[in-house]
Amino acid sequence: MNLDHSKIPQATAKRLPLYYRFLKNLHASGKQRVSSAELSDAVKVDSATIRRDFSYFGALGKKGYGYNVNYLLSFFRKTLDQDEMTNVTLIGVGNLGTAFLHYNFIKNNNTKISMAFDINESKIGKEVGGVPVYDLNDLEKHLTNDIPVAILTVPAQAAQPITDRLVALGIKGILNFTPARLNVPEHIRIHHIDLAVELQSLVYFLKHYSMTEEK
Ligand code: ATP
C-alpha cells in the first residue's frame, strides 16, 4: 500500500513507534493477531484512538479476529524506515551526552549515534561507548550529509551557535536537550526535551491532580 504521510495526523505519527515496539514483542512471542483491546491495554491508548490510527494505515481490524500482526509489522517497518539505518551525531559529551553514547538505541529502532563532538580537550580524540569524539571546531570537516539528525547536550548558551552551523551543513532534525529555544528555518524539525521541566511538571501533576483527572 502506498501511504501519503502528509495525511497522517502528527498525534498518530507520534504513536507509531509505540505500536511498533509492542507489535515486535508480540511477533517475537509467536502471536498472529491482536485485538484493539489488547493493544489498548498494553500501550495505554484507548481502543477507539487505536482503531482510528490504524485506519490511516489501511489496517482494518475484523470483528472477532482483530489485526493481523504480520501485516501491521511489515507496514510499520516500511513506514518507520526500519530497514534503513539513520545516523545521528551528538554534540556535547557531558553527563547526559555520555549516557546517550552508552545507550543502545539500536535495540529498539534503527538509529545509531555514529560520531560525537565536544570542545573539551580531554574528551576529543577519545571514544565513548564506541563512538569517536571529535573537536567541535572540525564539525565542518567530519559531518557528512549521511547524518541527518543531531542530538544537542551542550550548555544552553552554546546551543544556538551550534544549531546555526548544523543548519548550514544541511542537518534535517535536532533533538534538543538544552533549555534553549532554538531558531531554525521552517524546514528543519526540532524536538525539544527539557528533562528538568518534564520532571517538574510530573511533580506538579502529582501534587495538584488526581490520576483520574489527569487523563
Ligand atoms: P550534562 O548537561 O550533559 O550533564 P555536564 O554537566 O557534564 O553535562 P555541561 O557543562 O552541561 O556538562 O556540558 C556538557 C558538555 O558540553 C561538556 O562535555 C562540555 O565540554 C561540552 N561543551 C561545553 N560548551 C560547548 C560548546 N560550545 N560546544 C560543544 N561542546 C561544549
Side-chain angles (χ1 to χ4, degrees), residues 90-100 117-123 133-137 152-159 161-162 165 177-179:
L90 178 136
I91 325 266
V93 190
N95 287 309
L96 194 55
T98 300
F100 287 149
F117 294 88
D118 207 290
I119 51 165
N120 186 324
E121 293 281 335
S122 69
K123 299 178 180 177
V133 181
Y134 298 120
D135 187 345
L136 186 74
N137 288 319
L152 281 189
T153 43
V154 288
Q157 73 276 10
I162 294 172
R165 287 169 71 191
F177 281 92
T178 82

Side-chain angles (χ1 to χ4, degrees), residues 44-198:
K44 301 286 178 263
V45 173
D46 68 275
S47 52
T49 303
I50 291 183
R51 282 195 293 272
R52 200 183 53 235
D53 283 353
F54 282 19
S55 69
Y56 288 110
F57 317 147
L60 302 169
K62 291 190 205 96
K63 241 197 160 33
Y65 177 87
Y67 295 93
N68 182 307
V69 171
N70 278 327
Y71 171 86
L72 282 172
L73 207 55
S74 73
F75 172 81
F76 285 131
R77 200 169 278 139
K78 269 186 234 133
T79 308
L80 290 167
D81 280 334
Q82 292 296 317
D83 298 329
E84 209 180 295
M85 176 70 76
T86 302
N87 285 304
V88 177
T89 185
L90 178 136
I91 325 266
V93 190
N95 287 309
L96 194 55
T98 300
F100 287 149
L101 294 181
H102 285 289
Y103 183 74
N104 184 9
F105 287 97
I106 299 180
K107 226 172 15 187
N108 289 320
N109 54 48
N110 275 12
T111 50
K112 180 180 156 227
I113 301 178
S114 49
M115 60 176 75
F117 294 88
D118 207 290
I119 51 165
N120 186 324
E121 293 281 335
S122 69
K123 299 178 180 177
I124 295 166
K126 304 240 164 77
E127 280 200 353
V128 177
V131 178
V133 181
Y134 298 120
D135 187 345
L136 186 74
N137 288 319
D138 295 333
L139 183 72
E140 285 73 11
K141 194 165 99 192
H142 294 292
L143 198 73
T144 42
N145 56 12
D146 62 338
I147 304 186
V149 175
I151 298 175
L152 281 189
T153 43
V154 288
Q157 73 276 10
Q160 186 64 54
I162 294 172
T163 299
D164 295 343
R165 287 169 71 191
L166 289 168
V167 169
L169 287 166
I171 208 85
K172 296 200 172 70
I174 295 175
L175 192 55
N176 175 24
F177 281 92
T178 82
R181 292 284 160 177
L182 302 174
N183 293 314
V184 289
E186 245 174 48
H187 64 278
I188 314 257
R189 178 106 195 164
I190 303 238
H191 283 200
H192 187 227
I193 303 176
D194 187 326
L195 292 176
V197 167
E198 293 296 328

